[in-house]
């Protein structure tokens, strides 16, 4: 399988980086090549036949590095199969329902529309109170988001499997 996939991510505290690493690992197990890189370090898309991009969500927004990556590489991404994920909601239950209507950062909606991703998903995130600043703890208290690691590794694995399946069909 010749397709080389870039899995780019933007993280503040590491939870999204670990999701991206997992996706990369699963794509490799499925027989694809995959490089997992922080979005700010991924500038040259020429080696890649597909891109997965994910960002942690902070107060309804993507991290700047992911937003910049999407905007700076719009033309190249529009020609490639692209999958996007946001990681954020904590708590039990469906990730989409936990987001209460939020599906993608508004500021990047137009560029995403022009790129035409194969899929855009929301994945559960993780909150570690020991890592957060006091203002961040207050924000979290205000929105009553539960602390803890709610990442759904099964959901991540099925999403990665769907990506691998789609790429192998095109392969
Ligand atoms: C200050 C703050 C604001 C957040 N805002 C949101 C939000 O608007 N929507 C959401 O789903 N998650 C929100 N989160 C949860 C994070 O997205 C979640 O903890 C994510 O897994 C963090 O990823 P990271 O470790 O890669 O930075 C927020 C977390 C913090 C600390």
């Amino acid at each position: 399988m010749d397709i080389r996939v870039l899995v780019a991510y933007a993280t503040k505290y590491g939870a999204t980086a670990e999701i991206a690493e997992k996706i990369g690992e699963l794509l490799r197990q499925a027989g694809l090549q995959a490089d997992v890189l922080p979005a700010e370090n991924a500038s040259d898309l020429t080696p890649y036949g597909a891109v997965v991009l994910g960002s942690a969500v902070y107060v309804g927004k993507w991290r700047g590095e992911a937003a910049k990556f999407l905007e700076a590489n719009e033309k190249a991404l529009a020609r490639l199969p692209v999958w996007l994920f946001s990681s954020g909601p904590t708590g039990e239950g469906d990730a989409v329902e936990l987001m209460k209507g939020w599906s993608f950062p508004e500021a990047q909606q137009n560029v995403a529309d022009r790129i035409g991703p194969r899929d855009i998903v929301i994945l559960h995130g993780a909150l570690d109170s020991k890592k957060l600043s006091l203002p961040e703890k207050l924000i979290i208290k205000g929105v009553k988001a539960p602390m803890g690691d709610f990442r759904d590794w099964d959901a991540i694995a099925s999403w990665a499997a769907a990506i691998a399946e789609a790429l192998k069909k095109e392969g």
Side-chain angles (χ1 to χ4, degrees):
M1 184 63 52
D2 291 321
I3 298 177
R4 187 162 162 198
V5 186
L6 170 66
V7 184
Y9 62 86
T11 186
K12 184 169 186 189
Y13 291 117
T16 311
E18 288 173 5
I19 294 175
E21 291 291 354
K22 187 68 184 174
I23 291 170
E25 188 188 315
L26 293 163
L27 294 178
R28 279 183 221 113
Q29 282 171 14
L32 297 152
Q33 297 180 59
D35 296 341
V36 182
L37 291 175
E40 64 271 29
N41 295 351
S43 48
D44 180 13
L45 298 193
T46 42
Y48 299 107
V51 174
V52 179
L53 172 67
S55 177
V57 184
Y58 282 87
V59 200
K61 296 196 167 99
W62 263 17
R63 304 270 307 158
E65 312 88 86
K68 272 192 203 134
F69 175 90
L70 200 70
E71 283 149 20
N73 296 293
E74 178 188 325
K75 286 214 167 71
L77 292 170
R79 288 192 287 268
L80 290 170
V82 171
W83 283 263
L84 303 177
F85 73 90
S86 297
S87 81
T90 55
E92 300 297 341
D94 187 74
V96 173
E97 277 170 28
L98 288 168
M99 293 304 260
K100 299 188 178 85
W102 187 99
S103 59
F104 191 72
E106 210 180 324
Q108 278 71 50
Q109 187 64 61
N110 287 344
V111 62
D113 288 345
R114 290 193 294 271
I115 289 168
R118 299 292 178 93
D119 197 14
I120 304 183
V121 296
I122 295 167
L123 301 170
H124 284 90
L127 280 168
D128 180 350
S129 64
K130 291 194 293 295
K131 291 182 181 169
L132 303 185
S133 66
L134 184 59
E136 286 177 330
K137 279 186 197 161
L138 292 173
I139 291 172
I140 293 305
K141 216 176 157 190
V143 297
K144 297 191 174 73
M147 293 282 178
D149 188 348
F150 290 88
R151 287 171 297 175
D152 181 343
W153 299 105
D154 288 342
I156 292 163
S158 6
W159 196 57
I163 294 171
E165 193 62 32
L167 289 173
K168 282 167 147 184
K169 264 189 202 141
E170 286 164 36

